Amino acid sequence: GPREARGKWEPQDHDVQSCNYWRHCSIDGNICDCSGGSLTTCPPGTKLATASWVASCYNPTDGQSYLIAYRDCCGANVSGRCPCLNTEGELPVYRPEFGNDIIWCFGAEDDAMTYHCTISPIVGKAS
Amino acid sequence: MATPRNILPADLARLLCAGLTCSVLALGTAYAETAAAPQTEGQKQAAEGAAKLAKGEDDEPHIGTMPKADAHRVYVNDPAHFAAITQQFIIDGASGNVLGMTDGGFLPNPVISNDGTVIAQVSTVFERIARGKRTDYVEVFDTETLLPSADIELPNTPRFLIGTYPQMSTLTPDNKTLLFYQFSPSPAVGLVDLANKKFDRMIDVPDCYEMFPTANDTFYMHCRDGSMAKVEFGGAEPKISHSEVFHGEDDHLINTPAYSMKAKKILWPTYTGKIYPVDLSGDQAKVDKAIEAFTEAERKEGWAPGGWQPIAFHRVKDRIYLLADKREEWTHKDPSRFVFVIDAKTGERVKKIEMGHEIDAINVSQNAEGTLLYGLSTGDRTLYIYDEETGKEVRHVDQLGRGPQVITVSDMES
């Protein structure tokens, strides 16, 4: 479920459609798995951005932290399903690589720039 | 309004009982007329409608106009959680009435002049709802009719699409130039000539963000290295200079500081509640002694600012309003339930106001007497309005879109 307002981030590893799924520790928007995509794929009809912001998220299962490169699926109106806003390690806009208010649609096919949802792929281990 | 939507029992009684005997409705009449609660707008309209009908006056439907803006005019922008189409609500804070609305595209930036004579936005639309050809444009609204008085296309879709930060689009003091920010492919600021209703040019800038105009040809920005940049664009080439670095790499300055263009002063809080007063009245940005909003003990208890627009500044009263709550680290965008009022001169706390709601954005009317404190709840989609002196909630305006986040006011005081 959604994190309690102002409450501690307590990640879980059993439900990708829940805001407290561990890989969503700095997600802003909507979980793609809730509108026809998956944890790491875009829903049909949308465009996958190449650019991303990142966060280091702790996986409670193996006790490791991983770098998640949040990429947006673009070119469709906001899905409206599974909205989440987490800001673990999230930094202001002058540190854009960690800033999650930005529409990270850069590099999507056909210059799609509208926000539909976000995927949470791992790009490496974090320390 | 020709057709009242909310009809008082009293008026119903008058309407339905004409020529009939109906004691129950008559009882309702008596009750309504002795009720002590002030009339709502709906009740007022119902009474007026009934009175007109009783006098035999005909209804004459027409399109209304906006009253002249005053110090209690407040604008609530709803980015609608990244929806392709958005709204702005124009509200009279004194009565709590919605006076009008404007439609926007994707993540528009509202721009309101300090004298209330310019209502504009920098907006983005697509040919097929959320896909297809993109058009970025500046739209200026007639303040009386709310009809567009200018529609200026921005070449090469330069707008930065981001959650709505007030200082990502702004006006120069003479209201003749609108500035907007470009992030990609490189940092730049676009100039739009509102006086001649045309796009002027893009100015290349360093790795800096947000614009704080101080003169008709000068604005400041905040840079990644922790300095402020001054940009003078009056000449053929922009002149750019930097202040000293004034904050550390781990001292995180929020995205939505308070800026008073009339005072040439930014109040810029960090994640932990340190507030940097940035003075832009000199030759280069000068940062005054930082104010700590919380005591060491309070910080240990978890008190920290949080929300979308968690700081406001009253120029004449020289007061800072900081939206804060007890929170875990890294919950800086979660709403808060308290406003700390701080004397900007001394850094002393004046009072702490309990808002009674989960508030995401605050602002304050700039009149010295009868000042209103605004608290916007994104979750409730409601603007709560407080008496700034007593801290008491006096009214509220609900049904403000899907995820309202930004409150804009004008500073009309001299």
Side-chain angles (χ1 to χ4, degrees), chain A residues 85 87 90 100-101, chain B residues 255 306-308 327 331-335 360:
Chain A
L85 172 58
T87 50
E90 199 264 347
N100 75 5
D101 296 325
Chain B
N255 296 314
W308 185 257
R327 59 199 333 116
T331 63
H332 48 282
K333 286 180 193 164
D334 289 3
D360 296 85

Side-chain angles (χ1 to χ4, degrees), chain A residues 91-97 102, chain B residues 165 207-210 222-226 247-255 268 271:
Chain A
L91 296 183
V93 65
Y94 60 91
R95 303 285 303 278
E97 68 277 18
I102 298 168
Chain B
Y165 302 166
D207 189 6
C208 308
Y209 301 81
E210 317 204 41
H222 173 243
C223 305
R224 178 174 181 134
D225 67 5
H247 65 93
E249 183 88 353
D250 295 326
D251 207 9
H252 306 309
L253 274 64
I254 70 160
N255 296 314
W268 210 324
Y271 282 12

Side-chain angles (χ1 to χ4, degrees), chain B residues 86-282:
Chain B
T86 56
Q87 294 173 310
Q88 178 153 268
F89 300 85
I90 307 175
I91 295 166
D92 173 27
S95 65
N97 290 331
V98 173
L99 304 171
M101 290 171 61
T102 56
D103 290 336
F106 186 47
L107 294 172
N109 271 95
V111 180
I112 314 292
S113 68
N114 266 334
D115 62 4
T117 63
V118 179
I119 303 173
Q121 63 178 340
V122 193
S123 186
T124 295
V125 292
F126 295 81
E127 214 163 44
R128 295 289 181 269
I129 302 178
R131 65 181 173 84
K133 184 174 174 275
R134 168 178 164 186
T135 304
D136 289 359
Y137 63 106
V138 169
E139 191 171 33
V140 185
F141 297 95
D142 182 280
T143 51
E144 197 178 315
T145 63
L146 284 186
L147 293 169
S149 58
D151 189 319
I152 305 161
E153 204 166 311
L154 307 177
N156 307 314
T157 60
R159 281 193 68 216
F160 186 16
L161 299 174
I162 185 168
T164 313
Y165 302 166
Q167 296 306 134
M168 284 296 189
S169 288
T170 184
L171 291 168
T172 50
D174 64 1
N175 298 332
K176 287 185 177 161
T177 306
L178 184 149
L179 314 173
F180 68 87
Y181 187 76
Q182 170 186 282
F183 176 68
S184 172
S186 58
V189 173
L191 304 182
V192 179
D193 178 352
L194 289 190
N196 295 301
K197 302 184 179 182
K198 64 181 179 56
F199 171 78
D200 182 352
R201 64 190 192 275
M202 302 299 296
I203 299 172
D204 286 330
V205 294
D207 189 6
C208 308
Y209 301 81
E210 317 204 41
M211 292 86 67
F212 305 91
T214 53
N216 298 330
D217 62 355
T218 307
F219 62 88
Y220 288 80
M221 305 182 82
H222 173 243
C223 305
R224 178 174 181 134
D225 67 5
S227 71
M228 296 293 295
K230 181 185 189 181
V231 181
E232 295 163 278
F233 60 91
E237 287 296 320
K239 209 175 118 195
I240 298 170
S241 55
H242 286 264
S243 75
E244 300 285 302
V245 169
F246 69 95
H247 65 93
E249 183 88 353
D250 295 326
D251 207 9
H252 306 309
L253 274 64
I254 70 160
N255 296 314
T256 51
Y259 179 52
S260 168
M261 188 161 68
K262 283 191 175 172
K264 299 186 184 180
K265 190 170 176 179
I266 311 172
L267 283 309
W268 210 324
T270 67
Y271 282 12
T272 60
K274 183 190 283 184
I275 302 170
Y276 289 106
V278 185
D279 175 4
L280 304 180
S281 65

Side-chain angles (χ1 to χ4, degrees), chain A residues 21-37:
Chain A
Y21 180 68
W22 71 274
R23 293 201 204 189
H24 301 328
C25 79
S26 186
I27 198 170
D28 179 10
N30 301 72
I31 300 170
C32 284
D33 195 49
C34 301
S35 59

